[in-house]
Amino acid sequence: MLFPLIIGIFFFHVAANTFNDYFDWKSGRDIKNLDYVLFSTGGSRAIDLGFISEKKIYFLSVFCFLVVLLCGMYITYIRGPIILYIGLFSAFVVYFYSAPPIHFASRYGAGEIFHIICLGPLIVIGSKFTLLGYFDILDFFVGLPFGLLITSCLLINEYPDSKYDKQSKKYNLAVLLGSKYIYVLFTIFVFFSYFVIIFSVIYYNLSVYYCLVFLTLPYFVKTFYFVFNLKNNRSFVLTSCIRSFNLYLYFSFFMIFAAIIKILY
């Protein structure tokens, strides 16, 4: 079951990002936006830079969705309809995150909320059910920090595009908050990620090894300095994007390392 799970998750991510590129191009935002930070924020701008045509990236997205569908059908056959429900919900969110007429990314924070859910608890619950055939409430809390931290990255990524997103009526959280308050929500997301670990250790008997994530706190403090000063220096935007991803990476590493230690000892 591990192989179709990995393949399905991989192609789901590719589909999500290529659909996002396609619909950002179709909306005209990529053409107008001159303030992007290339290779450090979400969106490859592959069409804009001439790496692939509009038609080809759409067919790539559809192909990835079909691969996910095949993997999902196989897992559903083995594990039952719960995986089907999770997959259908995820597919709906992935497509309409960027696609009209719903376009969750423009719906006053709805996109970020689904980002937290789908890339956090839902992917952990779905993966555990695929591999073991069951899940519990603790899986929700283990998955939540992943969703919060990757969405904190998204929040920083949205900042360079916020001027043109606002013009095109893409009302994401960066547009709604503005540079003055982005750092506040970023900090809330990160601190809540640490809080969830402590809460789970105390109330749900999560292994104390998961507290290793607190070794990332000094890195977060330095990252906060750059995020707090986003509006003052463009180089801080690039640094904030990179450091927010690194924080997610380091936090995730310690989560995985803690899980391995728990299994071995």
Side-chain angles (χ1 to χ4, degrees):
M1 296 301 290
L2 181 61
F3 181 72
L5 174 65
I6 293 174
I7 294 298
I9 291 175
F10 175 81
F11 278 93
F12 227 146
H13 277 77
V14 176
N17 284 283
T18 50
F19 269 130
N20 187 59
D21 276 355
Y22 173 77
F23 285 111
D24 273 355
W25 173 261
K26 289 289 286 184
S27 70
R29 279 187 291 272
D30 278 354
I31 300 173
K32 298 176 183 177
N33 184 2
L34 302 177
D35 291 335
Y36 59 89
V37 180
L38 197 59
F39 305 129
S40 297
T41 62
S44 68
R45 303 185 69 89
I47 304 174
D48 187 28
L49 296 173
F51 295 139
I52 190 171
S53 69
E54 176 185 320
K55 183 177 181 180
K56 286 181 179 178
I57 202 169
Y58 181 79
F59 280 116
L60 174 61
S61 305
V62 173
F63 170 78
C64 290
F65 247 27
L66 291 175
V67 173
V68 174
L69 176 63
L70 291 174
C71 293
M73 289 172 63
Y74 174 75
I75 296 172
T76 298
Y77 175 75
I78 301 297
R79 293 298 188 197
I82 289 180
I83 290 297
L84 176 63
Y85 303 145
I86 292 175
L88 289 175
F89 174 79
S90 301
F92 177 81
V93 173
V94 162
Y95 182 78
F96 284 109
Y97 178 84
S98 306
I102 300 177
H103 195 199
F104 286 120
S106 297
R107 302 296 178 182
Y108 304 95
E112 288 82 357
I113 291 172
F114 283 123
H115 208 261
I116 292 172
I117 294 170
C118 292
L119 294 180
L122 198 63
I123 198 170
V124 171
I125 289 170
S127 297
K128 183 174 179 179
F129 190 84
T130 296
L131 296 173
L132 302 177
Y134 72 94
F135 60 89
D136 53 46
I137 186 64
L138 185 58
D139 299 317
F140 173 85
F141 290 107
V142 169
L144 189 56
F146 292 107
L148 289 167
L149 288 171
I150 195 60
T151 305
S152 72
C153 298
L154 174 66
L155 189 64
I156 303 303
N157 292 347
E158 290 172 344
Y159 172 71
D161 304 331
S162 57
K163 174 183 175 182
Y164 296 95
D165 284 344
K166 185 176 182 179
Q167 290 177 2
S168 62
K169 298 182 180 180
K170 183 179 179 180
Y171 296 115
N172 54 42
L173 286 182
V175 171
L176 295 177
L177 295 172
S179 60
K180 187 176 180 180
Y181 296 107
I182 282 180
Y183 78 92
V184 175
L185 190 57
F186 175 85
T187 305
I188 291 172
F189 282 170
V190 176
F191 267 123
F192 198 65
S193 299
Y194 291 113
F195 170 78
V196 167
I197 297 300
I198 289 294
F199 176 83
S200 300
V201 169
I202 294 174
Y203 290 98
Y204 288 102
N205 296 316
L206 183 68
S207 172
V208 71
Y209 292 126
Y210 284 89
C211 290
L212 287 170
V213 298
F214 284 89
L215 292 174
T216 62
L217 266 174
Y219 192 85
F220 162 64
V221 172
K222 183 66 174 178
T223 301
F224 173 81
Y225 165 75
F226 289 100
V227 175
F228 181 78
N229 290 284
L230 270 177
K231 62 182 180 297
N232 297 327
N233 191 321
R234 183 171 172 80
S235 68
F236 281 17
V237 176
L238 174 60
T239 304
S240 296
C241 290
I242 294 172
R243 291 186 69 92
S244 64
F245 278 119
N246 286 345
L247 179 62
Y248 172 69
L249 175 64
Y250 302 151
F251 195 103
S252 300
F253 169 80
F254 284 118
M255 290 282 284
I256 295 168
F257 184 59
I260 293 172
I261 295 176
K262 180 186 175 184
I263 293 170
L264 295 179
Y265 299 100

